[in-house]
Amino acid sequence: MSLQATPTLLQLAMQSLMRDEALAVSALQDLPIELFPPLFKDAFTHKRFNILRKMVQVWPFPCLPLGGLMKIKPPYLDILQAILDGIDALLDQNIHPSSYKLRVLDLRALHKDFWTVWAGDTTASCNPGAKCKRKPQRRGSKIITKPNSLKVFIDLFLKPRTLDTCLSYVFQWVRERKALLQFVCKKLKINTVGIQNIVKVLEVLDLDCVEEIEVCCTWKLSTLATFAPYLGQMKNLLTFILSRIHVPDSVTPEEKKQLVSQITSQFLNLQSLQDLSLDSICFLKGQMDQLFRCLEAPLEILSITDSQLSESDLKSLSQCPGIRQLKHLNLSGVILTDMNPEPLRVLLERVAPTLKTLDLENCMITDSQLNVLLPALSQCVQLIMFNYIRNPISVAVLERLLYHTSRLSCLSLEMYSTPWEIYGAQGASHHRRLDELREELSKTMMNLEHTRTVWFSVAPCLPRGGNQAI
């Protein structure tokens, strides 16, 4: 004989209400707030559309975290329609907002724990009993709020296929009520080249509220130029990730110059930008100065990877006003072999007081170039991580490099390629020297006040054009 748990008083009360829909609706005005989340969840699960419509209108919290309960998928369309119908009735009352509590409809997949804990539990990640506020923005960025408006929050991932029926319904619903709503998307990811559909989405969003944009598909340069004016309206943008922009052969140098100017000029408006990541971006080679002149807000993260840069680009980067507080610099995959190391040295000196991570993987920096950079590197007193993998380095220069980095008291992780000489004609003697280096390094680290990891890749990195035997 199986034993069943005795229902709680709360469960019994809910069961009684759900058996009589008319009673449940009439009781909502006097219902204790503790009953709202479990009753709403039960009505949601069993598709009690009328109860859902009425509950939205008397929802006792400023935030309805609907996204934590549902997925924006077609099977939920009828539930979504019922809830939005309830909000429509609320908006149509044309009364002062203080007469009702609901301020935010959150469609993001967040706050799932709200639906499983008591509404007053302050340990919940989103307590709709408290006002739903933005995280404080650094540098005093502000979001303009429409008076008496309901905020609808959503995160979007735009893919090549069209929006599904649920998202399409939400967009149409918002578009028809734009004067009464703020449609807020903090995180927008784009993986489609269909700029017309992207523009339709952007024109509905409150662009002032966008905080993070990631473009992870191959756009043409002209597509990026079409997108740029919308980017310039995102005045509270914190993170911009851009990759693989394609320039067709049919684009003339004059057209390219004009398109680049249209794009880079918009960065003057991004006064809150903190994280800029550019991957496989070659259209700016020799023209990076146009971008760097427009980066006035102090960046924390700058990543330019697998891209082509010129010496003039590196020089303009070292003069960029936006790097004065840089904490993380990633230039991995930017081949620097044939460049004068002086601009990179100046760059490291400028960011030395604040820099915490430096990634120079696969830059093919030579020993002679590294010798120029060492004094600047030793000034990076806040450095925590240094990645120098896939750069050709000799045993002698590695010794010199480790001597400089040993003085950096915050450094906890260093990554290097094994010196190429280890596998050369003098392999045996150099292999012993590497073992000695490791032993000396271990003794040095024993005297440090914190743990430090020095990691060597197994495979060496040969100098360009090198003919060492492996």
Side-chain angles (χ1 to χ4, degrees):
M1 180 178 177
S2 62
L3 296 177
Q4 294 183 344
T6 303
T8 64
L9 290 175
L10 175 63
Q11 290 171 331
L12 290 172
M14 284 178 48
Q15 291 171 9
S16 176
L17 282 173
M18 296 304 289
R19 280 195 296 266
D20 188 339
E21 186 174 291
L23 176 63
V25 170
S26 63
L28 289 177
Q29 291 286 355
D30 302 314
L31 199 68
I33 63 171
E34 294 87 349
L35 287 180
F36 269 83
L39 184 62
F40 189 96
K41 185 176 181 180
D42 194 82
F44 181 96
T45 302
H46 296 95
K47 294 193 173 185
R48 302 295 183 89
F49 299 131
N50 196 39
I51 294 179
L52 289 173
R53 290 188 191 94
K54 298 299 182 181
M55 288 195 75
V56 170
Q57 297 172 43
V58 292
W59 188 250
F61 308 109
C63 175
L64 175 57
L66 188 61
L69 195 60
M70 69 177 291
K71 296 179 180 178
I72 305 296
K73 300 288 185 181
Y76 291 89
L77 181 59
D78 50 0
I79 299 176
L80 181 63
Q81 288 173 330
I83 293 171
L84 296 184
D85 284 347
I87 293 178
D88 275 338
L90 192 66
L91 297 175
D92 290 342
Q93 291 176 24
N94 196 27
I95 56 178
H96 194 272
S98 61
S99 301
Y100 55 84
K101 295 289 184 67
L102 188 62
R103 298 287 191 277
V104 173
L105 174 63
D106 199 334
L107 299 177
R108 298 172 296 179
L110 303 174
H111 323 313
K112 295 180 181 179
D113 52 354
F114 168 72
W115 299 104
T116 58
V117 299
W118 178 56
D121 188 352
T122 57
T123 62
S125 63
C126 173
N127 178 8
K131 292 183 179 180
C132 290
K133 296 181 179 180
R134 290 172 48 87
K135 292 181 180 179
Q137 291 297 317
R138 284 166 281 186
R139 298 200 287 271
S141 61
K142 297 179 180 179
I143 290 183
I144 299 174
T145 302
K146 294 179 182 178
N148 303 341
S149 65
L150 176 76
K151 293 185 180 67
V152 180
F153 282 84
I154 194 169
D155 285 338
L156 287 174
F157 185 7
L158 302 181
K159 301 178 182 180
R161 59 179 180 269
T162 58
L163 297 177
D164 63 38
T165 52
C166 255
L167 273 178
S168 295
Y169 186 84
V170 170
F171 270 87
Q172 184 61 32
W173 182 80
V174 170
R175 190 177 289 110
E176 293 173 356
R177 296 155 184 80
K178 198 167 184 180
L180 301 172
L181 301 172
Q182 273 189 283
F183 198 27
V184 178
C185 176
K186 290 189 176 184
K187 293 184 179 181
L188 174 60
K189 188 174 182 179
I190 302 174
N191 187 23
T192 176
V193 297
I195 188 62
Q196 291 181 343
N197 291 330
I198 295 171
V199 167
K200 289 180 181 178
V201 170
L202 294 174
E203 289 178 344
V204 178
L205 297 178
D206 192 326
L207 298 179
D208 234 10
C209 300
V210 178
E211 293 183 354
E212 182 177 321
I213 287 272
E214 179 179 358
V215 177
C216 51
C217 57
T218 304
W219 274 2
K220 292 181 180 179
L221 187 60
S222 57
T223 303
L224 181 59
T226 302
F227 172 77
Y230 297 95
L231 177 69
Q233 296 177 52
M234 301 175 188
K235 301 187 185 305
N236 288 288
L237 190 68
L238 302 175
T239 299
F240 183 41
I241 302 171
L242 181 67
S243 60
R244 300 191 300 276
I245 298 300
H246 171 61
V247 182
D249 294 336
S250 58
V251 175
T252 67
E254 292 75 17
E255 291 172 335
K256 179 182 175 182
K257 184 177 180 180
Q258 182 179 3
L259 292 172
V260 169
S261 178
Q262 291 175 17
I263 295 164
T264 56
S265 62
Q266 297 299 327
F267 282 83
L268 285 169
N269 299 322
L270 306 183
Q271 293 300 311
S272 296
L273 191 64
Q274 298 175 1
D275 179 355
L276 176 61
S277 297
L278 306 174
D279 180 66
S280 301
I281 301 297
C282 298
F283 71 92
L284 285 173
K285 182 180 180 181
Q287 303 182 71
M288 282 284 190
D289 60 312
Q290 294 189 51
L291 172 63
F292 295 142
R293 282 199 307 267
C294 297
L295 290 175
E296 296 181 346
L299 296 174
E300 290 190 3
I301 302 172
L302 177 61
S303 178
I304 304 175
T305 57
D306 295 321
S307 301
Q308 298 177 14
L309 297 183
S310 65
E311 285 184 24
S312 64
D313 292 331
L314 277 179
K315 183 177 180 181
S316 60
L317 174 56
S318 68
Q319 299 170 348
C320 175
I323 65 168
R324 57 189 179 275
Q325 296 178 19
L326 198 66
K327 294 181 179 179
H328 308 279
L329 176 61
N330 184 357
L331 296 176
S332 61
V334 177
I335 304 304
L336 303 174
T337 307
D338 300 322
M339 293 191 194
N340 184 341
E342 191 64 18
L344 183 56
R345 181 193 67 79
V346 174
L347 172 62
L348 291 178
E349 286 184 346
R350 280 207 62 197
V351 300
T354 57
L355 196 65
K356 292 182 179 294
T357 67
L358 176 60
D359 194 334
L360 297 177
E361 179 174 348
N362 193 31
C363 291
M364 298 301 292
I365 297 172
T366 64
D367 279 356
S368 60
Q369 290 174 314
L370 182 58
N371 282 326
V372 175
L373 302 177
L374 285 179
L377 182 62
S378 63
Q379 296 178 39
C380 298
V381 293
Q382 302 293 326
L383 200 64
I384 296 172
M385 187 280 290
F386 177 44
N387 183 2
Y388 199 69
I389 295 173
R390 298 171 68 192
N391 288 285
I393 191 168
S394 64
V395 173
V397 174
L398 176 61
E399 287 184 271
R400 196 172 300 124
L401 173 57
L402 293 174
Y403 172 76
H404 280 79
T405 58
S406 67
R407 300 178 177 183
L408 301 177
S409 60
C410 295
L411 191 59
S412 59
L413 177 60
E414 303 169 67
M415 294 176 282
Y416 305 107
S417 290
T418 298
W420 51 265
E421 295 167 301
I422 299 300
Y423 297 87
Q426 304 297 321
S429 62
H430 282 296
H431 206 292
R432 286 195 298 272
R433 184 66 193 106
L434 184 61
D435 288 338
E436 293 171 3
L437 260 178
R438 287 171 174 160
E439 186 175 345
E440 292 171 8
L441 193 58
S442 298
K443 292 178 181 178
T444 301
M445 288 191 293
M446 288 177 62
N447 298 322
L448 298 177
E449 295 181 357
H450 68 286
T451 303
R452 175 175 292 184
T453 300
V454 181
W455 186 88
F456 291 92
S457 67
V458 175
C461 180
L462 289 177
R464 279 195 163 187
N467 56 3
Q468 286 75 16
I470 297 180

